[in-house]
């Protein structure tokens, strides 16, 4: 008898090998820890510096845009966005200070930011004028503390707005911005260059450490390949076959590790026991319990499939005429027999490839496949024959008739949907004497 290999044994061996390799890597990584830390620090510095540079350069343009928009529109959100961006710019400066404080580049950058305060006072002046005109309440402390000159207080609202717009759009303002941005750009170039140099040195050290890891990685690869081959043969391949069997609704092949073989044997036993039960459940889910016609859920799925396909078809909607009256007069048991009789006659009249569905109490629908509008006479003949048989009364079941509305997938002047078009045709029949068939 062929010896079965257990997953438990494979797991134990894998854990042992993993522990040995862990010790090896811990020893190697212990020596390379400082080098990796330097590389990470240099990378972090580069990212922080690059982001801060972008924020500082973009922030100035954004602040100018917001103060100008506020001066032109007077909308409060531009005032709030101005001070929010001012806080972000300050945070960018603090990020740079964390890594580059007391360096020559940072001192130059800080000097440039000091110079920009004069420009921000001009912007505050413009914001204050607009806020005064708009009657803003709960304004930022920077504006609250700013006192307008007496002559500006006497200006009209229009003159204050014009003054505010001029302050942030004249040549003096633009020249100041240009000077400050050139100073900031030059300082940030120095910071980025210094950060790149740090990163390059750290990268060199890290490359040396990488060489030390190569031998351990080669050993790891060999061991992992061996484990992968074993795992693939005893676990992965059986699971692939199991998954395929599930997708195709078949029993499992009894292969692989001992535990999986036991699993397959158990599954196969349960599968065979439940196969018939599942078949019955599926049929109950798709068919109407009383008439054995397809139910509403199946009808909607089929209609959606044909609506999105290329096969020509006809949708036939059917109502049993005066069914409620017959049901009340003869009782529900007789009403049920009428519905069963209608279903049987429809199945008999139409082809086996057509789909006869019960979609409501006395409502039926038929999806007639491979059907075009030039063949509508065949539907008329079938409905006429069914109505003739239903019109024959016997001792158990009274005579009834069907009202039928039909729409073809190749119909001209189609409406919103084929269902609604067929329903319109059905409504016409019901409003004009019932017991007939109408085409959209």
């Amino acid at each position: 008898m062929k010896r079965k290999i257990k997953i438990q044994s494979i797991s134990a061996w894998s854990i042992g090998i993993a522990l040995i390799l862990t010790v090896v890597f811990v020893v190697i990584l212990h020596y390379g820890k400082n080098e990796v830390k330097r590389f990470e620090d240099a990378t972090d510095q580069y990212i922080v510096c690059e982001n801060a540079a972008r924020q500082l350069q973009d922030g100035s343009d954004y602040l100018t845009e917001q103060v100008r928009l506020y001066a032109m529109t007077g909308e409060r959100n531009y005032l709030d966005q101005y001070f929010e961006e001012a806080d972000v710019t300050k945070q960018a400066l603090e990020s740079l200070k964390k890594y580059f404080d007391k360096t020559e580049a940072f001192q130059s950058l800080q000097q440039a930011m000091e110079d920009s305060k004069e420009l921000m006072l001009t912007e505050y002046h413009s914001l204050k004028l607009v806020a005064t005109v708009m009657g803003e309440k709960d304004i930022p402390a920077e504006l609250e503390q700013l006192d307008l000159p007496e002559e500006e207080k006497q200006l009209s609202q229009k003159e204050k707005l014009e003054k505010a717009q001029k302050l942030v759009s004249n040549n003096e303002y633009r020249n100041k911005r240009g000077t400050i941005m050139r100073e900031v750009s030059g300082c940030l170039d120095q910071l980025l260059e210094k950060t790149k140099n740090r990163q390059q040195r750290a990268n060199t050290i890290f490359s040396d450490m990488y060489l030390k890891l190569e031998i351990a990685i080669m050993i790891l690869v060999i061991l992992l390949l061996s484990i992968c081959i074993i795992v693939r043969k005893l676990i992965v391949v059986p699971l692939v076959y199991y998954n395929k069997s599930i997708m195709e609704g078949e029993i499992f092949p009894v292969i692989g590790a001992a535990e999986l073989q036991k699993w397959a044997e158990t599954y196969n036993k349960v599968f065979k026991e439940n196969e018939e039960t599942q078949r019955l459940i599926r049929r109950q889910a798709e068919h109407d319990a009383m008439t054995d016609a397809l139910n509403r859920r199946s009808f909607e799925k089929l209609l959606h499939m044909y609506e999105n396909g290329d096969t020509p078809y006809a949708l036939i909607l059917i109502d049993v005429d005066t069914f409620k009256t017959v049901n009340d007069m003869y009782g529900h048991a007789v009403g049920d027999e009428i519905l069963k009789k209608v279903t049987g006659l429809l199945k008999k009249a139409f082809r086996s490839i057509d789909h006869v569905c019960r979609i409501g109490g006395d409502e039926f629908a038929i999806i007639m496949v491979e059907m075009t509008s030039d063949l509508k006479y065949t539907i008329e003949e079938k409905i006429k024959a069914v109505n003739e048989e239903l019109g024959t009364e016997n001792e158990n079941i009274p005579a009834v008739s069907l009202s039928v509305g039909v729409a073809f997938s190749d119909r001209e002047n189609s409406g919103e949907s084929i269902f609604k078009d067929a329903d319109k045709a059905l409504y016409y029949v019901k409003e004009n004497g019932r017991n007939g068939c109408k085409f959209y």
Side-chain angles (χ1 to χ4, degrees), residues 221-387:
V221 169
I222 294 173
L223 292 175
L224 285 178
L225 285 174
S226 301
I227 294 174
C228 287
I229 292 173
I230 295 173
V231 170
R232 175 175 175 78
K233 181 178 179 181
L234 298 181
I235 300 176
V236 176
V237 171
L239 289 177
V240 171
Y241 279 112
Y242 293 171
N243 183 65
K244 182 179 179 181
S245 297
I246 291 174
M247 298 297 293
E248 296 178 355
E250 300 175 349
I251 61 174
F252 286 178
V254 183
I255 57 176
E259 292 89 344
L260 292 181
Q261 291 186 30
K262 184 65 176 178
W263 183 18
E265 291 170 354
T266 303
Y267 174 86
N268 292 343
K269 181 179 179 181
V270 175
F271 179 89
K272 292 176 181 178
E273 291 175 351
N274 292 340
E275 195 172 33
E276 181 62 23
T277 302
Q278 291 173 357
R279 187 186 68 80
L280 293 174
I281 291 174
R282 284 195 298 270
R283 182 169 184 81
Q284 290 173 357
E286 296 172 353
H287 289 74
D288 176 56
M290 183 178 69
T291 64
D292 200 38
L294 293 172
N295 58 24
R296 175 108 192 185
R297 181 181 178 185
S298 299
F299 166 72
E300 290 175 350
K301 288 182 178 180
L302 288 167
L303 182 59
H304 179 72
M305 178 182 71
Y306 282 105
E307 284 180 329
N308 294 316
D310 298 325
T311 303
Y313 67 99
L315 176 60
I316 306 170
L317 297 183
I318 302 169
D319 272 5
V320 180
D321 296 330
T322 63
F323 179 75
K324 185 178 185 305
T325 302
V326 174
N327 208 29
D328 293 341
M329 182 179 298
Y330 293 94
H332 293 290
V334 173
D336 292 346
E337 292 301 319
I338 291 174
L339 295 177
K340 292 178 184 178
K341 182 177 180 180
V342 169
T343 303
L345 291 174
L346 291 175
K347 287 184 176 181
K348 179 180 177 182
F350 289 86
R351 302 165 298 176
S352 60
I353 62 173
D354 300 327
H355 308 285
V356 178
C357 313
R358 184 190 176 196
I359 59 175
D362 63 327
E363 300 173 358
F364 293 84
I366 301 174
I367 298 176
M368 195 172 183
V369 300
E370 300 293 344
M371 178 58 58
T372 54
S373 56
D374 58 328
L375 298 175
K376 65 181 182 180
Y377 64 89
T378 60
I379 297 177
E380 288 181 311
E381 293 174 355
K382 293 177 184 294
I383 297 301
K384 182 179 179 181
V386 171
N387 268 331

Side-chain angles (χ1 to χ4, degrees), residues 31-225:
Y31 291 104
K33 183 178 179 181
N34 292 333
E35 285 78 359
V36 173
K37 184 65 169 61
R38 291 176 185 175
F39 182 82
E40 290 176 346
D41 289 344
T43 301
D44 290 341
Q45 290 176 12
Y46 181 81
I47 293 172
V48 169
C49 186
E50 187 178 36
N51 290 338
R54 188 182 301 110
Q55 289 175 349
L56 288 172
Q57 290 174 335
D58 294 345
S60 179
D61 292 335
Y62 186 78
L63 290 174
T64 299
E65 179 186 11
Q66 298 308 304
V67 71
R68 287 176 175 172
L69 288 171
Y70 185 56
M72 289 187 292
T73 66
E75 294 183 11
R76 175 60 187 257
N77 62 301
Y78 295 122
L79 175 63
D80 295 334
Q81 290 169 8
Y82 175 90
F83 283 96
E84 288 175 4
E85 180 60 29
D87 291 338
V88 172
T89 303
K90 292 175 183 177
Q91 292 174 5
L93 185 60
E94 289 299 320
S95 298
L96 291 172
K97 185 176 181 180
K98 177 181 177 182
Y99 291 104
F100 302 103
D101 194 12
K102 298 180 181 180
T103 65
E104 181 180 353
F106 183 77
Q107 290 173 358
S108 300
L109 179 61
Q110 194 170 33
Q111 182 60 48
M113 295 304 293
E114 289 294 333
D115 294 341
S116 70
K117 290 182 180 179
E118 181 180 351
L119 187 65
M120 292 186 71
L121 289 176
T122 302
E123 294 172 344
Y124 288 171
H125 190 174
S126 176
L127 293 170
K128 178 71 172 187
L129 285 169
V130 180
T132 302
V133 173
M134 303 307 298
E136 299 284 6
K137 297 180 180 180
D138 190 26
I139 61 177
E142 291 88 344
L143 299 186
E144 190 71 43
Q145 297 169 1
L146 181 63
D147 191 21
L148 295 175
E150 191 63 33
E151 60 272 15
E152 291 185 359
K153 293 180 181 179
Q154 303 302 322
L155 295 175
S156 66
Q157 290 188 349
K158 180 179 180 181
E159 290 172 335
K160 287 179 181 179
L161 288 176
E162 291 176 350
K163 176 72 174 179
Q165 294 170 5
K166 184 176 180 181
L167 284 172
V168 293
S169 60
N170 58 27
N171 290 333
E172 182 182 357
Y173 179 82
R174 289 196 293 269
N175 290 336
K176 285 182 180 180
R177 285 194 68 252
T179 300
I180 293 171
M181 290 310 299
R182 285 192 295 272
E183 292 173 349
V184 172
S185 179
C187 295
L188 292 178
D189 287 342
Q190 295 180 41
L191 292 176
L192 290 173
E193 185 63 28
K194 185 174 182 179
T195 304
K196 288 179 180 179
N197 291 336
R198 287 182 181 177
Q199 190 179 40
Q200 288 174 359
R201 289 197 298 270
N203 188 46
T204 300
I205 296 172
F206 183 73
S207 296
D208 294 337
M209 189 196 72
Y210 176 79
L211 293 175
K212 298 175 184 178
L213 292 173
E214 283 188 340
I215 297 176
I217 291 175
M218 290 177 63
I219 296 173
L220 174 65
V221 169
I222 294 173
L223 292 175
L224 285 178
L225 285 174

